Amino acid sequence: KSVIDKMLDNWNNDREDNNSVKKMINADIKNMQKLYMDLDLEEIDNVVKLMQTSKKIFVIGVGSSRAVAEMLGWHCMVLGLEAVTISEGGYGLFEIAHVTKDDCVIFFSVPKYLKDEVQMMELLHTKKVPSVVITNNLFSKIASYASIFIPVETDNTSFFNSFILHAEVCNVIL
């Protein structure tokens, strides 16, 4: 749903009962339970091994994904890993031009996927750069270029996508 559709739904629902906050939290709880049931721990181990063996880790999150990318990038540096966080789209994504097979990319994305993001993942795939995509849709073009796919739900009753699960996946990886 678009932001406007979500706003209208909440506005209309709130006129009847004022439970929008509880609905939002319950949606995140349901998404967390789904993550708990569906999370492939072998894939998490693969991400950790990839990070440990990579020369440099590029953590990318553009737009609303920026906060979670910066969190993971900062914690990687605290752990002594060489990490670069890229949070700008467009020309900001040119930083990945220097990525090699010895590096890895961890990419956070939520719908609507930007054309720049798709092209970046296609380039990484062509260069055979190991990549991890953390997003909600296995069948998205972005996920199809990933070496490792970690599924997370972003659906919520609030106006914007929820990043609770993205943050939790970061904690699990760290």
Side-chain angles (χ1 to χ4, degrees):
K1 288 185 171 183
S2 71
V3 173
I4 298 297
D5 290 337
K6 288 181 179 183
M7 287 174 64
L8 289 172
D9 285 350
N10 282 326
W11 184 72
N12 290 333
N13 288 338
D14 281 349
R15 296 177 99 187
E16 302 297 320
D17 63 47
N18 199 6
N19 280 333
S20 60
V21 172
K22 288 185 179 184
K23 287 178 188 176
M24 187 170 59
I25 292 170
N26 278 325
D28 280 335
I29 289 170
K30 286 179 184 176
N31 289 340
M32 186 68 75
Q33 289 170 332
K34 183 170 175 26
L35 176 69
Y36 177 78
M37 296 302 292
D38 295 346
L39 190 63
D40 185 344
L41 296 179
E42 212 172 288
E43 287 290 61
I44 295 295
D45 285 342
N46 291 337
V47 173
V48 171
K49 289 173 190 168
L50 179 62
M51 291 171 68
Q52 290 173 331
T53 59
S54 294
K55 184 176 176 184
K56 191 181 282 188
I57 302 165
F58 289 81
V59 184
I60 302 172
V62 178
S64 58
S65 301
R66 162 188 264 160
V68 75
E70 288 180 355
M71 181 189 86
L72 181 61
W74 185 81
H75 280 91
C76 285
M77 289 189 300
V78 167
L79 291 172
L81 301 170
E82 190 171 347
V84 174
T85 302
I86 301 171
S87 57
E88 295 295 327
Y91 290 117
L93 292 174
F94 274 121
E95 286 190 56
I96 61 114
H98 305 292
V99 177
T100 70
K101 293 178 190 178
D102 297 329
D103 303 320
C104 76
V105 172
I106 300 174
F107 183 65
F108 296 93
S109 186
V110 295
K112 298 182 171 182
Y113 306 110
L114 302 175
K115 187 176 181 179
D116 292 346
E117 294 174 327
V118 174
Q119 290 173 337
M120 179 205 63
M121 284 303 299
E122 187 175 11
L123 173 66
L124 293 171
H125 181 74
T126 302
K127 291 176 73 171
K128 299 189 184 336
V129 174
S131 62
V132 178
V133 170
I134 301 170
T135 190
N136 68 325
N137 187 353
L138 170 64
F139 301 107
S140 68
K141 229 178 183 181
I142 287 177
S144 71
Y145 293 123
S147 308
I148 301 171
F149 170 71
I150 306 291
V152 294
E153 291 295 323
T154 57
D155 195 27
N156 198 312
T157 59
S158 72
F159 303 140
F160 305 105
N161 291 321
S162 173
F163 286 91
I164 299 296
L165 272 61
H166 293 77
E168 188 62 27
V169 167
C170 289
N171 286 332
V172 168
I173 290 169
L174 291 165

